[in-house]
Amino acid sequence: MLQQLTNLSDKELISRARKLKDQEAEGVLLERYSHLLVAISMPHLNTGPGTTPEEMYPSILQRLSNSLKTQTIPKANEWLHYTVKAQNDKADRNIPFFPSNESRDVQQVENKVEKASNNLLEQQQLANQIQQVFKQLDTEERFFLQQFYIEQKTFAELAAAKKYPVEKVRLKLREAKQKMASLMMTQTDGK
Amino acid sequence: MANNSVNNDKILKVFSNIRCLNRDQLPRYLDGRLTDVEKHLVEQHLVDCDLCNEALHILEQSQYRDKYQSLSISIQQYIRNSIKQVSHVQKAERYQRKEQKKESLLIYFWVVAAIALAAGGIYLVQQESRFKAQAPKPLASTGDLKAIPASSTQSIAAKQDTVKVVPVVPPPPPPPVVVKEKVVIPVAKKDSLKVKDTLKVKTAPVTKPVVKTDTAVKKTPAAVKPPEDKKDDSDTKKTPVPKDNPPIKKEEPKTVAKDKDDDDKKPVTKVTAPAETTSTDEFLYKAAMVYHQQGDLNEAISRYKHLAASNSRYGELARYQLAVCYRSKGQTGKARRMFKEVVDMNGSMKDKAQAALDNL
């Protein structure tokens, strides 16, 4: 059963955990991200009362479990990052997670691409659409996207080429991608 | 064309959805032990994923890197243990739920089946009792209608009343007797006259009832044919009475006639006491006759048996009827014995009983 659940996507696991109240699915999902959860919460360990690993991780897992039952989760990694950060920052107000508009646009375009993976015509149409949007971007953004996705350069290579820090390269790429997704969605909505 | 499709794939790669780094990839990326393709895929994912990016940044620091492995394994173990417990409990709960559902379904089934059976049983009993209640009515009513068409409904009611009342209260009240006797058979009518006489004796002077009885006796031949016209009488009563009955009806008028003679001879005041006993016997006899006519031979036999012990003329009649009942039931031995008793009694039914014996 566990083996079967580990092959499921995040979306399917969340759906099972919520609709069927399948705690095994919930456990598999949390286990999938547990190493990342441990990593991002490490700086907050042993910084005050209730921050020992034996106390902090169970409480984080419990919070995630409760949140999973009530929240809409389009992307598990974003939801997890937001929730763990809120727990580590000890935010008094439990503000629920809402994905940003850019994130939604990116996800919608990603879904489109995934859907068109079995249809060559759709793939062609989508590629044309992306190329048209690509032309509307800044030269720097176009440079980064082209070098990273088509020339398959690494962050380090791009950073070295532009003499930017690696994080800035990542953020430039992210902005460019989000801009493209937003433009595509506005075009689609305009139609 | 091929070049175009490759470009398309690369462009579409911008929006390909890639999973987060797994627990194996994370340290390998930090150590630079990933292949170029794998590294590029990880970096494609890192463009969007703040979670993985932050984890990588934190783990780049050696202080956290040392603790990471042990903590990561322990939290994984913690989650697995909780899942195991939960899954075991869930399985047990599911099994229990299934069993409970099965049991409850079975219980519902049996409850419904029991209710259906009970309802069916009640329905059948009701139908049976209705059938029993309805079956005798048409027989009685048709008999009465043919005998005396004028007052059919009242007679049915009166008959039913007498049938029901007689076994419980042996001495019947005079008024119902009068009502009934007006309606039923000629024998009864003649007897009713006697009852009337006794009633009137209590209120009126002695001479008047004597005159009245005379008039009543005179009237009876007109209303109901005299004992001499036995054959005509029996013809009129063919339908309500079974074939065995005619001899009784033929005899009854005789006895009544004798009684009338006695009444005429004796003073009226002396007649009242024996008249009461005869009236009860008569009443019982009629009740038995009703059962007999309805075809309920067992009930009729039991009633005739009660009467057979009586020393009055109804004792003889009851024995004769008993014999008839036995005969119609096919118990010829008993019937023969009864007819013999009637013959031995040497009463008014002797000839008829002898004739019946000869026929047996």
Side-chain angles (χ1 to χ4, degrees):
Chain A
M1 187 68 187
L2 272 172
Q3 192 62 40
Q4 289 172 342
L5 287 171
T6 48
N7 293 329
L8 294 178
S9 68
D10 293 349
K11 203 177 171 182
E12 283 166 328
L13 287 172
I14 290 165
S15 162
R16 280 182 74 93
R18 295 181 66 161
K19 288 178 184 170
L20 307 175
K21 293 181 180 174
D22 187 351
Q23 294 192 17
E24 276 186 332
E26 187 184 318
V28 168
L29 181 74
L30 293 177
E31 191 194 329
R32 188 176 284 174
Y33 291 97
S34 64
H35 60 289
L36 298 170
L37 186 149
V38 166
I40 61 167
S41 53
M42 278 176 79
H44 303 277
L45 277 173
N46 302 317
T47 52
T51 52
T52 58
E54 291 78 20
E55 288 170 326
M56 201 168 86
Y57 289 124
S59 68
I60 289 172
L61 289 171
Q62 188 58 50
R63 185 166 177 158
L64 286 168
S65 174
N66 295 337
S67 172
L68 183 68
K69 284 162 193 160
T70 53
Q71 290 206 334
T72 310
I73 303 163
K75 274 194 165 186
N77 54 352
E78 287 181 7
W79 159 74
L80 208 112
H81 187 238
Y82 175 87
T83 312
V84 174
K85 253 195 142 182
Q87 173 81 7
N88 290 335
D89 294 343
K90 294 176 184 171
D92 292 333
R93 285 180 65 196
N94 188 10
I95 302 162
F97 163 72
F98 289 109
S100 62
N101 289 335
E102 293 82 11
S103 171
R104 269 187 212 162
D105 291 341
V106 170
Q107 200 195 351
Q108 280 177 340
V109 177
E110 281 176 355
N111 289 341
K112 273 188 177 181
V113 170
E114 198 178 343
K115 205 177 169 184
S117 61
N118 295 325
N119 192 330
L120 278 171
L121 273 172
E122 278 187 28
Q123 277 186 355
Q124 188 71 40
Q125 280 179 345
L126 266 174
N128 290 337
Q129 204 178 347
I130 290 168
Q131 277 178 343
Q132 282 177 357
V133 171
F134 183 75
K135 288 172 189 169
Q136 295 175 20
L137 296 174
D138 298 338
T139 48
E140 195 178 33
E141 287 169 339
R142 271 189 287 173
F143 169 79
F144 278 116
L145 286 174
Q146 194 165 6
Q147 291 294 310
F148 184 72
Y149 287 106
I150 295 166
E151 303 298 330
Q152 297 194 357
K153 295 267 177 74
T154 61
F155 285 158
E157 287 169 344
L158 285 172
K162 281 279 179 180
K163 294 182 182 174
Y164 285 160
V166 174
E167 183 58 22
K168 195 176 178 182
V169 172
R170 189 184 81 86
L171 288 173
K172 282 274 178 193
L173 281 166
R174 185 179 181 165
E175 279 171 21
K177 192 177 169 180
Q178 284 178 349
K179 199 173 177 181
M180 273 178 80
S182 301
L183 282 168
M184 278 182 78
M185 292 316 296
T186 47
Q187 277 185 2
T188 313
D189 294 341
K191 280 177 185 176
Chain B
M1 182 70 187
N3 194 25
N4 197 20
S5 67
V6 170
N7 278 337
N8 282 346
D9 286 345
K10 283 183 178 175
I11 285 172
L12 288 172
K13 228 167 53 176
V14 177
F15 293 103
S16 58
N17 193 4
I18 301 162
R19 277 189 178 188
C20 285
L21 279 75
N22 59 35
R23 60 183 68 246
D24 174 53
Q25 284 174 324
L26 196 63
R28 278 171 62 213
Y29 179 79
L30 289 168
D31 297 340
R33 288 187 282 121
L34 291 173
T35 60
D36 288 345
V37 176
E38 212 176 1
K39 191 179 178 184
H40 186 66
L41 279 171
V42 168
E43 285 187 345
Q44 274 186 54
H45 172 72
L46 285 173
V47 169
D48 287 322
C49 187
D50 289 333
L51 180 70
C52 292
N53 192 47
E54 194 176 334
L56 282 170
H57 277 294
I58 288 164
L59 289 179
E60 276 173 355
Q61 300 171 34
S62 59
Q63 50 178 353
Y64 298 125
R65 186 80 186 271
D66 300 335
K67 292 179 189 173
Y68 166 75
Q69 285 296 339
S70 60
L71 282 172
S72 174
I73 290 164
S74 64
I75 196 170
Q76 189 185 14
Q77 204 60 43
Y78 175 82
I79 292 168
R80 281 190 180 174
N81 287 339
S82 59
I83 289 173
K84 269 183 189 175
Q85 284 172 359
V86 166
S87 64
H88 184 71
V89 171
Q90 271 184 343
K91 276 176 191 172
E93 277 178 3
R94 277 178 200 164
Y95 181 75
Q96 276 184 345
R97 274 181 210 159
K98 275 186 183 177
E99 288 298 310
Q100 280 176 350
K101 270 185 185 176
K102 276 183 189 175
E103 280 177 15
S104 58
L105 278 172
L106 271 173
I107 288 165
Y108 287 139
F109 171 76
W110 285 117
V111 166
V112 169
I115 290 166
L117 275 172
I122 290 164
Y123 178 75
L124 279 173
V125 168
Q126 281 180 347
Q127 288 296 318
E128 206 176 303
S129 60
R130 263 187 215 166
F131 181 74
K132 273 185 181 176
Q134 286 173 355
K137 280 181 183 174
L139 283 171
S141 63
T142 50
D144 290 335
L145 279 168
K146 282 175 185 173
I148 303 149
S151 56
S152 60
T153 51
Q154 286 179 352
S155 68
I156 296 160
K159 272 188 179 180
Q160 284 173 351
D161 288 344
T162 52
V163 170
K164 285 170 188 172
V165 170
V166 169
V168 184
V169 188
V177 174
V178 172
V179 171
K180 181 187 69 181
E181 283 161 2
K182 277 180 188 170
V183 173
V184 195
I185 43 177
V187 181
K189 279 195 173 179
K190 284 171 186 176
D191 292 338
S192 73
L193 289 171
K194 277 186 276 173
V195 177
K196 277 179 187 172
D197 290 346
T198 56
L199 288 169
K200 283 166 189 172
V201 164
K202 288 172 187 173
T203 53
V206 180
T207 52
K208 280 183 181 176
V210 175
V211 174
K212 275 188 178 177
T213 51
D214 290 338
T215 55
V217 171
K218 282 172 191 169
K219 280 175 186 173
T220 46
V224 183
K225 289 177 182 177
E228 292 163 9
D229 303 327
K230 286 168 198 168
K231 286 176 187 175
D232 295 341
D233 238 355
S234 64
D235 288 338
T236 54
K237 293 166 193 172
K238 268 178 187 174
T239 43
V241 184
K243 285 178 182 178
D244 298 327
N245 291 338
I248 315 153
K249 281 165 190 171
K250 286 171 190 172
E251 293 305 316
E252 278 174 345
K254 282 182 183 176
T255 55
V256 173
K258 279 181 185 176
D259 290 338
K260 278 172 200 165
D261 293 338
D262 293 339
D263 290 342
D264 289 340
K265 286 170 188 174
K266 290 171 189 175
V268 180
T269 47
K270 284 177 184 176
V271 173
T272 51
E276 279 179 9
T277 55
T278 52
S279 70
T280 55
D281 287 347
E282 175 208 346
F283 206 74
L284 288 169
Y285 179 73
K286 281 174 185 168
M289 281 289 285
V290 168
Y291 280 111
H292 194 166
Q293 285 171 2
Q294 286 173 358
D296 192 352
L297 288 174
N298 292 329
E299 187 63 31
I301 284 168
S302 70
R303 284 169 189 280
Y304 284 137
K305 273 181 182 173
H306 279 293
L307 265 174
S310 166
N311 290 324
S312 67
R313 62 182 184 285
Y314 288 104
E316 190 193 358
L317 285 170
R319 282 179 193 193
Y320 182 82
Q321 290 297 339
L322 255 177
V324 170
C325 286
Y326 284 135
R327 192 175 63 188
S328 50
K329 276 185 83 179
Q331 297 173 338
T332 49
K334 283 185 177 178
R336 191 173 286 122
R337 206 185 309 140
M338 274 299 152
F339 279 131
K340 273 180 186 172
E341 277 182 23
V342 175
V343 170
D344 292 343
M345 283 173 86
N346 207 12
S348 56
M349 297 299 290
K350 185 185 175 181
D351 297 338
K352 292 286 167 192
Q354 190 59 53
L357 257 177
D358 296 340
N359 287 334
L360 271 173

